[in-house]
Amino acid sequence: MTDLFGGAAPYYAKYRAGHGEPAIEHLAMTFGDDSTVLDLGCGPGTVAIPLARRVREVLAVDPDAEMLAEGRRLAARAGNIRWLSGDSTRLRELPGFDHVVMGRSFHWMDRRAVLLELDELLPAHGVVALVGPSRAGEELPWEPAMRRVRDAFGVNTFTATNSYQATGEHHDDVLAASPFSDLDAIPYEYRQVYDLEAVIGLQLSYSYTSPARLGDRMESFTRAARRALLAHNPRGTWEQVTVTEVLIARRPPGRAR
């Protein structure tokens, strides 16, 4: 199945948490205000849109046309974002860039191959930045209920060669064995409250429970999710403390390209 996120774009844009202002500021200061940054697997612009205000240009690249369209809609006034169809296997087709950032996308890729290719494409000062949940992230408070619903509907995650799902090898370890092995990670913590509709909307933003994946079972899935969530927590609100990690990966000092 190639349409992993079919129909998910509006749910992704509305219900996926942003990374927070401190994390975006950290990225901007690392890249510099005169840089062109590739946001690889940009989705609807979760990183690209706030980052664009702080750098010269963002190349927002995603294979999903719906995600790109949602990003264009949300960033209608941002003149320095180029929304481009592409993926990690087509890096050489893209315009030049100084740095690359990946949010919730690196885990889908053949990570080792991508890093080797970025080593050829990035300038000497170029960095690879990852922004997302920390390594020690806790289980989401509604996950026990939703896991049972997913099991009942037989929906599972997809894997890619050398992806996190396929190998279980954490991004840090892949980077440490790559040309970009000089790592610097800083966590940022923030607290959010989710109501019932937000938790259900979040499920529809995931690849394994996207509208395209569920098809004509989407309505029955959301009904089952609502029942299970309220049985788990009749108040219908959940508080989540999210730790977002900004991981900057550089080539070691003195390493020749």
Side-chain angles (χ1 to χ4, degrees), residues 54-176:
R54 298 165 170 84
V55 298
R56 180 159 57 86
E57 185 178 35
V58 176
L59 307 178
V61 173
D62 202 279
D64 190 296
E66 293 178 353
M67 290 288 187
L68 293 173
E70 186 70 12
R72 289 190 188 97
R73 184 186 70 80
L74 293 171
R77 297 183 181 180
N80 65 333
I81 304 177
R82 278 194 271 179
W83 301 93
L84 302 172
S85 178
D87 60 38
S88 61
T89 67
R90 297 159 55 192
L91 294 174
R92 295 181 189 276
E93 301 174 16
L94 300 174
F97 48 89
D98 301 306
H99 308 284
V100 60
V101 61
M102 289 170 276
R104 302 177 182 95
S105 59
F106 192 45
H107 62 281
W108 287 108
M109 304 174 192
D110 183 341
R111 297 172 293 172
R112 296 186 188 283
V114 169
L115 292 168
L116 287 174
E117 192 159 13
L118 287 174
D119 187 34
E120 297 180 22
L121 295 175
L122 283 170
H125 68 284
V127 306
V128 175
L130 303 182
V131 56
S134 72
R135 185 170 191 156
E138 296 182 359
E139 183 175 74
L140 297 170
W142 52 80
E143 182 59 16
M146 285 310 310
R147 188 182 300 115
R148 290 192 294 271
V149 176
R150 290 198 305 272
D151 288 345
F153 279 76
V155 286
N156 302 296
T157 60
F158 297 88
T159 60
T161 303
N162 281 324
S163 68
Y164 176 68
Q165 294 97 328
T167 68
E169 190 175 15
H170 198 273
H171 296 337
D172 301 36
D173 302 320
V174 173
L175 283 162

Side-chain angles (χ1 to χ4, degrees), residues 197-213:
E197 294 309 311
V199 174
I200 292 173
L202 192 60
Q203 311 313 305
L204 300 177
S205 79
Y206 296 139
S207 60
Y208 43 87
T209 45
S210 68
R213 172 74 165 150

Side-chain angles (χ1 to χ4, degrees), residues 2 5 9 15 20 24 26 31 36 47 62 82 105 109 115 117 135 142 147 189 206 215-216 228 238 245 252:
T2 57
F5 288 93
Y15 295 112
I24 297 298
H26 183 159
F31 298 146
T36 294
V47 173
D62 202 279
R82 278 194 271 179
S105 59
M109 304 174 192
L115 292 168
E117 192 159 13
R135 185 170 191 156
W142 52 80
R147 188 182 300 115
E189 182 177 299
Y206 296 139
D216 59 10
W238 293 261
E245 181 179 83

Side-chain angles (χ1 to χ4, degrees), residues 186-255:
I186 296 182
Y188 296 95
E189 182 177 299
Y190 59 99
R191 190 179 304 271
Q192 289 181 289
V193 176
Y194 291 79
D195 63 16
L196 181 63
E197 294 309 311
V199 174
I200 292 173
L202 192 60
Q203 311 313 305
L204 300 177
S205 79
Y206 296 139
S207 60
Y208 43 87
T209 45
S210 68
R213 172 74 165 150
L214 292 169
D216 59 10
R217 300 188 301 163
M218 178 173 158
E219 187 175 343
S220 59
F221 175 84
T222 57
R223 285 199 303 267
R226 184 172 281 104
R227 287 195 300 269
L229 289 165
L230 288 175
H232 178 258
N233 178 5
R235 297 193 313 275
T237 59
W238 293 261
E239 187 175 272
Q240 169 68 11
V241 176
T242 299
V243 179
T244 292
E245 181 179 83
V246 177
L247 175 61
I248 305 298
R250 297 178 172 87
R251 300 178 181 96
R255 178 188 173 276

